[in-house]
Amino acid sequence: MNSIINDIEIIKSETTKIHDVDFDNLAFGSVFSDHMLECNFKDGKWQAPKVVPYQAISLDPSAKIFHYGQSVFEGMKAYKDANEDVYLFRPLDNFNRLNISAKRLAIPELPENYFMDGLKALLEVDKEWIPKQDGSSLYIRPFIFASGNGFHASPANEYKFLICTAPSGSYFSGKVKVLIEQTYSRSANGGVGFAKAGGNYAGQFYPTQLAVEKGYQQVIWTDDTSHEYIEEAGAMNIFVRINDTLITAPTSDRILDGITRKSIVELAKAEGIDVEVRKLSVHEVVEAAKNGSLKEMFGAGTAAVISPISGFGYKDEDFELPELEETFASFLKKRITDIQTNKVEDPFGWRYKLD
């Protein structure tokens, strides 16, 4: 049955999978909601978006996504509060970053109303898929890829924009042990490290596999030339606490401008925590671990919010972080998730209520 929400055409699924889902035991990003948003770029412009049943898509083998990697994506979440009201967290930041990424990969930028009105329509249709359990949320994946055909090495003339959603529990559980990378690089000066391009993540998988074989769960990425400065942790931004100062690397064309990252910086400053946004050398971290001033390390990103690090390896030596009763990581994670789920006031204006 077709309908219209926010000027978006809705084509409803004839069946639902929701009754087969165990919402108390959700793996991250493995169960998908009934509908998705679809929008095509052709004839030089974005066509009207519509909500359709979640389904497979058909592409020609010569579609340029397969050959030249024009693909960008975002990660967001929707939350329900105790009154069943639905909230997003800084959605316009995701929209703006999607277009920043698209521009860098020569993908046509998307109109804001297509993104926001389409997302609202999709969430209205699949509202029952948003979990209410503590720590759970509806993960939202907007993405754009080249669907135009041809083997010529050039930007495509057609693209697809989709938003798919997946009810999910916590992304990580427990602390992770990481290896400081000294050979491989996540990104380089002048490259696409600042963009959420699919290829950035594909390039991380092999070095991460090597780290896992050595007994670590993730990699800490260092700069591409000297490998002397810490930049990111796995697919997340990284924070390091030395004594009572929280340090994170400045964003650049190598480092993603993480929405959780900048929220942590702003929130920590508001809570009176000393925050430094500066280059941080591996040597400084190792020395802090040796002299006892290294208190915490944690990754920050949409999926996990904050992922504590228990220890790190560097040049065949392992360093364990202390077990603290009260940590910046747990304090800041609770503050952010409480804002996201409408449990506390939002003095920053980050929370976005869906009407």
Side-chain angles (χ1 to χ4, degrees):
M1 178 176 159
N2 293 13
S3 59
I4 302 291
I5 299 178
N6 297 325
D7 295 325
I8 307 294
E9 182 184 4
I10 311 295
I11 303 172
K12 279 210 166 185
S13 174
E14 294 180 0
T15 59
T16 179
K17 308 181 294 282
I18 198 167
H19 304 299
D20 300 324
V21 177
D22 182 358
F23 279 86
D24 292 318
N25 295 283
L26 288 169
F28 180 82
S30 60
V31 176
F32 304 100
S33 313
D34 286 330
H35 298 87
M36 64 185 190
L37 183 82
E38 182 177 42
C39 184
N40 293 305
F41 180 92
K42 61 181 181 180
D43 300 327
K45 63 180 182 180
W46 286 103
Q47 310 298 306
K50 58 185 176 181
V51 173
V52 299
Y54 184 89
Q55 59 192 278
I57 55 177
S58 177
L59 293 173
D60 192 279
S62 70
K64 291 198 173 185
I65 178 57
F66 300 135
H67 307 279
Y68 303 113
Q70 276 185 292
S71 173
V72 296
F73 71 95
E74 276 296 320
M76 311 168 62
K77 289 179 178 178
Y79 311 85
K80 269 185 185 170
D81 68 6
N83 298 319
E84 301 273 316
D85 290 325
V86 177
Y87 293 90
L88 299 170
F89 186 71
R90 306 185 72 164
L92 288 175
D93 287 14
N94 291 102
F95 163 72
N96 289 327
R97 191 172 62 182
L98 183 69
N99 272 345
I100 289 169
S101 299
K103 185 176 182 179
R104 179 62 181 84
L105 271 72
I107 294 171
E109 295 176 53
L110 192 73
E112 180 180 320
N113 63 314
Y114 282 22
F115 183 93
M116 290 302 299
D117 291 346
L119 178 56
K120 292 176 191 176
L122 176 62
L123 294 179
E124 178 63 31
V125 172
D126 278 347
K127 186 175 181 179
E128 294 306 309
W129 283 88
I130 305 173
K132 298 183 285 288
Q133 291 82 348
D134 246 8
S136 297
S137 58
L138 185 70
Y139 184 78
I140 302 167
R141 172 56 61 87
F143 58 107
I144 308 174
F145 63 91
S147 56
N149 303 333
F151 291 148
H152 187 265
S154 62
N157 61 357
E158 294 186 1
Y159 297 85
K160 277 189 177 292
F161 167 58
L162 301 177
I163 303 180
C164 300
T165 63
S168 299
S170 298
Y171 187 59
F172 291 120
S173 59
K175 296 184 176 181
V176 296
K177 189 177 178 184
V178 297
L179 178 66
I180 296 180
E181 182 58 51
Q182 292 293 289
T183 302
Y184 297 97
S185 298
R186 176 189 171 275
S187 59
N189 290 328
V192 296
F194 68 91
K196 283 191 75 71
N200 288 346
Y201 297 81
Q204 295 182 27
F205 295 156
Y206 177 65
T208 302
Q209 283 179 348
L210 297 180
V212 168
E213 290 170 6
K214 295 177 181 178
Y216 304 92
Q217 285 81 49
Q218 277 293 349
V219 167
I220 288 184
W221 301 104
T222 50
D223 68 283
D224 63 310
T225 51
S226 68
H227 293 291
E228 292 179 2
Y229 294 94
I230 283 174
E231 296 199 332
E232 293 198 351
M236 309 175 78
N237 295 116
I238 186 169
F239 286 82
V240 175
R241 175 185 173 186
I242 297 178
N243 290 319
D244 285 330
T245 299
L246 199 57
I247 307 165
T248 192
T251 55
S252 67
D253 56 8
R254 297 188 310 275
I255 298 176
L256 184 71
D257 184 15
I259 294 166
T260 306
R261 171 196 173 276
K262 58 188 177 186
S263 301
I264 289 172
V265 170
E266 193 171 345
L267 178 59
K269 289 179 177 178
E271 294 289 344
I273 296 172
D274 185 23
V275 179
E276 295 180 0
V277 179
R278 63 171 175 85
K279 293 176 70 174
L280 177 64
S281 71
V282 176
H283 174 76
E284 183 178 355
V285 174
V286 170
E287 286 304 305
K290 289 179 177 178
N291 65 33
S293 61
L294 179 64
K295 305 300 183 186
E296 292 181 70
M297 298 171 68
F298 55 86
T302 297
V305 184
I306 287 177
S307 181
I309 293 170
S310 63
F312 67 91
Y314 178 65
K315 290 187 174 179
D316 298 321
E317 190 173 1
D318 281 337
F319 300 89
E320 297 297 322
L321 273 74
E323 291 282 346
L324 304 178
E325 287 188 14
E326 296 182 0
T327 65
F328 286 176
S330 59
F331 172 74
L332 292 168
K333 182 173 184 176
K334 186 176 189 306
R335 288 285 288 115
I336 288 178
T337 55
D338 282 352
I339 290 172
Q340 290 171 333
T341 54
N342 195 32
K343 292 178 180 176
V344 298
E345 291 298 315
D346 174 17
F348 307 99
W350 293 336
R351 194 166 54 224
Y352 185 99
K353 184 178 180 181
L354 264 64
D355 298 321

